[in-house]
Amino acid sequence: MSAAMSLAQAWAWLTGGCCADGGRLEWSTPPELLGAGLLLLALALLLGWRTPAGLEGAGWRAAERLLWLVGLGLAGLMLAGPVWVMEGERQEEGRLVVLVDTSRSMHVRGEDGEPRSKQVAEILAKMPKNAEVLSFGDGLKLMPPLGYDDPETDLGGSLQALWQRYAGERLSGVVVLTDGLDRGGLRRRLMDGGAGGEAIPAPRIGGPLTIYQVGAPGELVDAAVLEVVAGGYAFVHSPFHVDVIVEAHGHTSRRLTVSLNRDGQPVGTQIAELDDQGRGKVRFEVTESREGRYLYEASVPVIPRDAIPTNNSASLAVRLVRDRVRVLQVCGAPSWDQKFLRLFLKEDPGIDLV
């Protein structure tokens, strides 16, 4: 604070021009430093005290001393740095954080045929404009959701990362939009704690938690191709098998049509009989006349109210070769190494072992 400002504030305080109710006067200069400065100033004035010629009268000397005293007091006031302090309070609106689940399960369709992610947009439209929207899947992402393709959902780890991001700041609220299918550490802790009878500590959040679960409860209707098995390669002019494993839930029929295509061209269609768990298996016998690499795709039809149409097909690449490779194994004496090599080569259908 400059001397001019200190003098102006001091004069305003002395005249009562800036002093409102509820304030207090504080000195910005430490008392020890202020006392030392006043002492040095007084010594300098005493050493330089000399009455001008012609003004040796008692009245003049009293007036001179009064002026010196006033000047010394004003100098001390400027050195002290008086400050008038008034305290006030201002209430700021708390931070609201919204976490959106971006896992693949958010693509599941409900009874109305719409994916669960559509409800997220409707809920976000009702949130306050100052809400900070983040996303989470296998971890916390510091951005709004750009898609719903994360392979995992780690709610507990994302809440812990959120608490660390704001460094213990008190939030006005944390809103989570999810379908409730957690695959992270929180689910494992709940399952392990439930088995052992121990209490599960809640994750630190930093504010009140509100969860909106999207999607309607109840059994889903879904048909899917679980796996296509055919091996890595086969031989031309020799039949090989392509096994397709399918699954259906909520389907009224116990039969499911399975189609197989090769590079976009149809190969065949079979009917899979579903068991009590809704699973079935069919086998296609295929023979190719040319060598090369082919892409085989198995698919099932989209049944009414299918929740996840994207899992109704699966692909597998198969390499067709002309002949098997003949390998001659020669060893001087039997050993475990030679036996392992022999069994390893015999397991490979592309090797003719001699």
Side-chain angles (χ1 to χ4, degrees), residues 121-176:
E122 298 173 354
I123 297 176
L124 290 178
K126 300 178 182 179
M127 290 293 171
K129 295 182 178 180
N130 63 339
E132 186 173 354
V133 181
L134 308 178
S135 58
F136 75 96
D138 51 359
L140 181 66
K141 300 177 179 61
L142 306 180
M143 62 181 69
L146 302 179
Y148 299 90
D149 53 2
D150 285 336
E152 299 291 340
T153 305
D154 188 2
L155 178 58
S158 300
L159 291 177
Q160 182 67 21
L162 179 69
W163 183 85
Q164 295 176 355
R165 166 177 167 75
Y166 293 102
E169 177 183 350
R170 184 65 180 175
L171 303 176
S172 64
V174 177
V175 180
V176 178

Side-chain angles (χ1 to χ4, degrees), residues 220-293:
L220 294 177
V221 178
D222 181 40
V225 177
L226 297 183
E227 191 176 6
V228 181
V229 182
Y233 59 91
F235 301 100
V236 296
H237 304 296
S238 298
F240 64 96
H241 299 113
V242 179
D243 295 332
V244 182
I245 303 175
V246 297
E247 185 179 39
H249 295 284
H251 191 31
T252 56
S253 175
R254 305 291 297 181
R255 310 179 71 187
L256 195 62
T257 304
V258 184
S259 301
L260 182 67
N261 296 333
R262 182 198 66 231
D263 294 336
Q265 300 298 323
V267 175
T269 302
Q270 292 194 29
I271 302 298
E273 300 290 340
L274 305 179
D275 57 15
D276 296 337
Q277 284 73 36
R279 289 195 175 188
K281 179 180 178 180
V282 295
R283 168 169 288 188
F284 294 88
E285 184 174 303
V286 183
T287 303
E288 299 294 347
S289 59
R290 293 183 302 173
E291 57 182 333
R293 185 177 296 272

Side-chain angles (χ1 to χ4, degrees), residues 6 8 35 40 56 62-63 76 101 132 156 169 190 241 259 328-329 331:
S6 299
L40 292 177
E56 291 82 0
D101 186 358
E132 186 173 354
E169 177 183 350
L190 289 173
H241 299 113
S259 301
L328 174 64
Q329 182 185 14
C331 59

Side-chain angles (χ1 to χ4, degrees), residues 38-333:
L38 291 177
L39 181 59
L40 292 177
L41 183 59
L43 291 176
L45 292 177
L46 289 175
L47 292 177
W49 190 314
R50 194 172 70 180
T51 304
L55 301 177
E56 291 82 0
W60 287 107
R61 283 196 296 272
E64 183 182 7
R65 289 175 182 149
L66 178 61
L67 292 176
W68 278 112
L69 184 60
V70 173
L72 182 61
L74 293 177
L77 189 61
M78 287 187 295
L79 290 176
V83 178
W84 184 259
V85 179
M86 295 183 64
E87 296 182 354
E89 296 182 358
R90 184 180 62 181
Q91 185 175 3
E92 295 185 357
E93 189 174 357
R95 190 194 303 268
L96 177 64
V97 180
V98 182
L99 295 180
V100 180
D101 186 358
T102 56
S103 61
R104 293 173 182 171
S105 59
M106 297 291 286
H107 275 310
V108 173
R109 298 178 181 271
E111 294 184 356
D112 56 354
E114 299 292 340
R116 295 173 176 175
S117 56
K118 181 181 179 181
Q119 302 181 28
V120 173
E122 298 173 354
I123 297 176
L124 290 178
K126 300 178 182 179
M127 290 293 171
K129 295 182 178 180
N130 63 339
E132 186 173 354
V133 181
L134 308 178
S135 58
F136 75 96
D138 51 359
L140 181 66
K141 300 177 179 61
L142 306 180
M143 62 181 69
L146 302 179
Y148 299 90
D149 53 2
D150 285 336
E152 299 291 340
T153 305
D154 188 2
L155 178 58
S158 300
L159 291 177
Q160 182 67 21
L162 179 69
W163 183 85
Q164 295 176 355
R165 166 177 167 75
Y166 293 102
E169 177 183 350
R170 184 65 180 175
L171 303 176
S172 64
V174 177
V175 180
V176 178
L177 307 181
T178 179
D179 57 357
L181 299 179
D182 181 79
R183 302 294 183 183
L186 179 61
R187 177 175 178 267
R188 290 193 296 268
R189 290 198 303 269
L190 289 173
M191 295 179 64
D192 296 341
E198 300 177 357
I200 304 300
R204 292 177 292 185
I205 300 175
L209 176 64
T210 303
I211 297 180
Y212 287 92
Q213 182 173 357
V214 298
E219 184 181 5
L220 294 177
V221 178
D222 181 40
V225 177
L226 297 183
E227 191 176 6
V228 181
V229 182
Y233 59 91
F235 301 100
V236 296
H237 304 296
S238 298
F240 64 96
H241 299 113
V242 179
D243 295 332
V244 182
I245 303 175
V246 297
E247 185 179 39
H249 295 284
H251 191 31
T252 56
S253 175
R254 305 291 297 181
R255 310 179 71 187
L256 195 62
T257 304
V258 184
S259 301
L260 182 67
N261 296 333
R262 182 198 66 231
D263 294 336
Q265 300 298 323
V267 175
T269 302
Q270 292 194 29
I271 302 298
E273 300 290 340
L274 305 179
D275 57 15
D276 296 337
Q277 284 73 36
R279 289 195 175 188
K281 179 180 178 180
V282 295
R283 168 169 288 188
F284 294 88
E285 184 174 303
V286 183
T287 303
E288 299 294 347
S289 59
R290 293 183 302 173
E291 57 182 333
R293 185 177 296 272
Y294 298 91
L295 182 64
Y296 292 91
E297 181 183 17
S299 61
V300 295
V302 179
I303 61 179
R305 298 189 291 114
D306 198 332
I308 312 176
T310 55
N311 63 3
N312 286 40
S313 62
S315 302
L316 177 69
V318 179
R319 183 168 61 93
L320 273 296
V321 297
R322 182 167 298 277
D323 297 312
R324 293 193 296 177
V325 178
R326 302 194 70 186
V327 176
L328 174 64
Q329 182 185 14
V330 180
C331 59

